[in-house]
Amino acid sequence: MARQLNIEPMTRIEGHLGINTIVERGKVKEAYVEGTLFRGLESILHDRDPVEASMLTQRICGVCTASHAMAAALCLDDILGLAVDIHKNARIVRNIILGANYLQSNILHFYHLVALDYVDITAVREYRGDDEDLVAVKKFLKRGVLDPFVPRYEGDYRLSKNKNITGIKHYVEAFNIRRMAHEMLAIFGGKMPHQCGIVAGGVTVKPSQDKKDEFRDKLGQIKAFIDAAYLPDVCMIGESYPDYFQKGRGCGRLLSFGSFDLEDDNPDQVTRQRFIHQGLTGTSLKLEKLKLGKITEEIIHSWYDAKSDRYPDEPPDPYKEQAYSFVKSPRYGGEVVETGPLADLLVSYAAKHRASRKLVDATRTDFGIKKDLQGFFSIMGRNLARAIETKLIADAMCEWIEELDPDAPIYTHYDKQDFPMECERFGITGAPRGALGHWMHIKNRKIHTYRIVTPTTWNASPRDAKGNPGPIEQALAGLEIKDKHNPFEILRAVRAFDPCMACAVHVIKASGAVIGE
Ligand code: NFE
């Protein structure tokens, strides 16, 4: 059947994405998520010096850069036998660099990508006060040209005038807060978007007292914004759009690689204690241990040529029949799984992480989400989970910064000869959009193959060999579309996943079937 409701390109996401759907009797019957741009970053890594991985992989995109540096550094630490020799100071500096990246990315997502699906920016025309930011937006709209805010899908703006004005004010403030988060990261990371602080063996910048003070000051301001604006605004929208806690359930299976190492002497990234926990859960809220060997990538519906349907082995093939995306289909034990803040939060909840439990339980009752947390498996639940996770990370960062010792070491030395002639290892971490894994194969002390599976590869994956749709495709199925000419429901559902297509589409020469260990 022809796909009749196609949104392409989809705006206010990162990268190139098309959403094609079949709508029957006012509901999405089938959805097809299309990554429309090919990039082959892994091929750039072929034959490079392995230590360059933490710098080069960040260039996948400009958003979750610190996570790529972290995944590569964890992989290199392991290869060099340094995993238990990373200094505590280095671990913490890595964590606060990564944390600064999460804060920036999540605030970007809510205010500058999602908020205008719910906040009516044109309400500022009625503003009569003298707030400089709001007057500036009002003047901007008065030009008569409403780009980039309209055209937009109309028909479901529900906030009162005052609530719209609050949302618009914070929309503008969020630009400054995001800039501050970048500046904060740069204190230890050197610069953004592609930081140079996280490297194999530790970090490059010592946490001197003045750097700690500067970081604490900026973090305090960002945390104040999260507490006074971000979390309350997500709640304000959740209260006005309560039906969005019932829509877009998705596949109901959640995966987290964990994030922010808390241990210095456990070489195993799968069992190492992390602030955000590793594992899987689902609507049962039972915690399952992570087993990386269960991860596979399929390409039956992806534009890649391969001798086998299952294993991506060959270059892109844009003419492949049945294919509709440059994104591949990672699966866990053959199952479709979702990753992202919802997974991070509920895996941590299932692992009985105290701070996560406290905040989830304190927040959920405002929206009538019951103890079984089923309401989180929804469009608004994903937005709320991201805001809760942002607060958890900001609060934890305030403690981590105090643990830094200006006089303690930050780097563990290694020699180039410490690289084995041949080996295969992985680095796993959380990124703002969920579970991120790097798999490196070294031959003759050079990178032979490098495989990156990003959070969006999981979430925006197309159908697999069994015909099971990917997580976003499943979240769209069954969605009610009130007006085919204004399918805002689709955009709200997709944006809640915060897709980053630049990260998600890659090709490699892979050597085997199973990519985990
Ligand atoms: Ni390009 Fe990313 C994150 C990674 S993609 S932003 O977060 O890894 O899902």
Side-chain angles (χ1 to χ4, degrees):
M1 184 184 291
R3 300 174 195 165
Q4 326 110 325
L5 185 48
N6 302 331
I7 303 174
E8 186 190 337
M10 181 163 161
T11 57
R12 283 197 265 121
I13 54 125
E14 205 287 339
H16 301 73
L17 174 64
I19 304 292
N20 301 327
T21 59
I22 296 169
V23 177
E24 267 185 17
R25 286 189 279 279
K27 281 192 176 167
V28 174
K29 183 164 177 261
E30 288 171 26
Y32 296 81
V33 171
E34 218 180 87
T36 54
L37 184 74
F38 166 72
R39 295 180 45 172
L41 194 115
E42 284 93 337
S43 51
I44 294 172
L45 287 153
H46 178 66
D47 248 0
R48 304 293 295 232
D49 185 333
V51 294
E52 292 177 353
S54 61
M55 295 299 127
L56 294 180
T57 55
Q58 293 183 66
R59 271 71 188 172
I60 277 174
C61 87
V63 191
C64 57
T65 54
S67 298
H68 286 287
M70 181 73 111
L74 291 170
C75 184
L76 291 165
D77 292 347
D78 196 8
I79 290 168
L80 293 162
L82 301 177
V84 293
D85 293 324
I86 300 300
H87 295 290
K88 180 180 173 193
N89 245 8
R91 170 177 61 76
I92 298 171
V93 171
R94 283 178 173 183
N95 283 350
I96 60 175
I97 289 175
L98 185 60
N101 195 193
Y102 268 78
L103 303 189
Q104 190 283 135
S105 182
N106 289 358
I107 292 168
L108 156 71
H109 171 259
F110 179 67
Y111 283 101
H112 300 139
L113 304 182
V114 158
L116 297 190
D117 287 344
Y118 304 94
V119 173
D120 180 4
I121 191 131
T122 66
V124 80
R125 286 175 172 148
E126 309 303 319
Y127 180 67
R128 303 276 175 263
D130 56 7
D131 179 275
E132 274 182 22
D133 290 340
L134 291 167
V135 170
V137 179
K138 189 176 170 180
K139 269 195 194 151
F140 187 81
L141 292 192
K142 260 199 181 151
R143 300 169 311 151
V145 181
L146 301 189
D147 300 351
F149 302 125
V150 292
R152 61 182 185 180
Y153 289 137
E154 301 289 348
D156 192 36
Y157 287 100
R158 306 181 194 169
L159 298 182
S160 66
K161 182 185 148 199
N162 283 349
K163 286 180 178 170
N164 277 318
I165 295 293
T166 301
I168 298 164
K169 169 73 182 158
H170 294 159
Y171 176 99
V172 179
E173 276 180 19
F175 286 114
N176 282 331
I177 296 296
R178 286 177 48 207
R179 188 197 52 201
M180 199 182 294
H182 268 350
E183 290 169 355
M184 177 172 81
L185 193 157
I187 294 168
F188 293 114
K191 66 186 183 62
M192 268 306 270
H194 300 117
Q195 61 79 48
C196 35
I198 298 173
V199 292
V203 292
T204 55
V205 175
K206 276 198 133 191
S208 58
Q209 194 56 49
D210 61 325
K211 288 194 179 349
K212 276 178 70 173
D213 292 345
E214 200 186 340
F215 195 97
R216 187 189 299 107
D217 175 52
K218 291 187 191 309
L219 179 58
Q221 294 180 61
I222 296 166
K223 184 174 142 38
F225 180 82
I226 293 164
D227 289 341
Y230 181 17
L231 197 48
D233 285 352
V234 173
C235 293
M236 169 179 89
I237 287 172
E239 279 162 13
S240 298
Y241 296 82
D243 43 324
Y244 279 81
F245 283 104
Q246 316 291 330
K247 296 174 197 269
R249 178 182 176 278
C251 62
R253 290 280 288 151
L254 304 172
L255 166 78
S256 166
F257 284 170
S259 211
F260 307 107
D261 284 345
L262 299 180
E263 269 189 297
D264 299 310
D265 52 8
N266 181 354
D268 180 5
Q269 296 168 57
V270 175
T271 58
R272 188 180 293 170
Q273 200 192 340
R274 289 184 158 171
F275 178 69
I276 292 168
H277 284 251
Q278 303 94 321
L280 287 100
T281 193
T283 45
S284 67
L285 297 181
K286 286 203 182 104
L287 182 67
E288 291 165 46
K289 279 191 189 153
L290 178 62
K291 292 186 181 149
L292 292 187
K294 288 189 157 192
I295 299 173
T296 54
E297 267 188 305
E298 302 183 13
I299 55 160
I300 188 160
H301 291 291
S302 309
W303 283 308
Y304 298 102
D305 186 16
K307 293 183 186 77
S308 141
D309 275 347
R310 247 176 103 74
Y311 309 120
D313 227 345
E314 297 294 335
D317 174 7
Y319 305 106
K320 180 171 160 184
E321 279 188 27
Q322 289 191 318
Y324 59 92
S325 181
F326 280 114
V327 181
K328 297 174 202 157
S329 303
R331 294 293 184 257
Y332 185 89
E335 272 189 302
V336 179
V337 297
E338 171 180 343
T339 190
L342 175 65
D344 294 349
L345 192 66
L346 296 196
V347 167
S348 297
Y349 190 96
K352 302 196 170 19
H353 180 239
R354 205 179 297 157
S356 305
R357 286 210 153 205
K358 211 171 147 196
L359 208 47
V360 165
D361 287 333
T363 321
R364 68 175 173 78
T365 45
D366 293 347
F367 308 102
I369 298 177
K370 299 199 187 104
K371 256 189 157 174
D372 62 9
L373 306 189
Q374 300 308 298
F376 271 99
F377 292 82
S378 65
I379 295 171
M380 203 55 77
R382 291 185 184 93
N383 292 331
L384 180 60
R386 189 173 283 101
I388 292 175
E389 182 182 57
T390 311
K391 176 167 170 54
L392 287 169
I393 294 169
D395 289 352
M397 286 170 71
C398 292
E399 293 174 18
W400 296 336
I401 184 95
E402 301 310 332
E403 290 176 35
L404 287 170
D405 178 353
D407 300 317
I410 53 159
Y411 181 70
T412 308
H413 182 76
Y414 59 87
D415 287 315
K416 282 283 171 70
Q417 287 81 348
D418 295 341
F419 277 105
M421 287 304 282
E422 178 160 8
C423 73
E424 285 187 72
R425 289 285 193 286
F426 66 86
I428 54 168
T429 181
R433 286 155 196 78
L436 170 66
H438 285 197
W439 282 263
M440 189 182 329
H441 181 185
I442 290 179
K443 263 190 188 169
N444 299 322
R445 299 205 171 101
K446 292 271 174 62
I447 296 174
H448 182 60
T449 58
Y450 203 99
R451 183 192 297 246
I452 299 171
V453 182
T454 70
T456 301
T457 319
W458 289 95
N459 289 337
S461 63
R463 282 155 175 73
D464 55 33
K466 286 189 253 169
N468 290 324
I472 296 179
E473 292 177 333
Q474 292 197 28
L476 287 168
L479 198 63
E480 193 186 334
I481 308 296
K482 287 194 186 123
D483 172 7
K484 272 200 207 173
H485 302 289
N486 283 290
F488 47 79
E489 299 93 342
I490 292 178
L491 301 189
R492 288 172 179 172
V494 175
R495 288 195 182 117
F497 283 88
D498 194 7
C500 172
M501 308 315 293
C503 270
V505 288
H506 299 285
V507 69
I508 51 160
K509 290 264 182 199
S511 55
V514 175
I515 64 173
E517 280 189 355

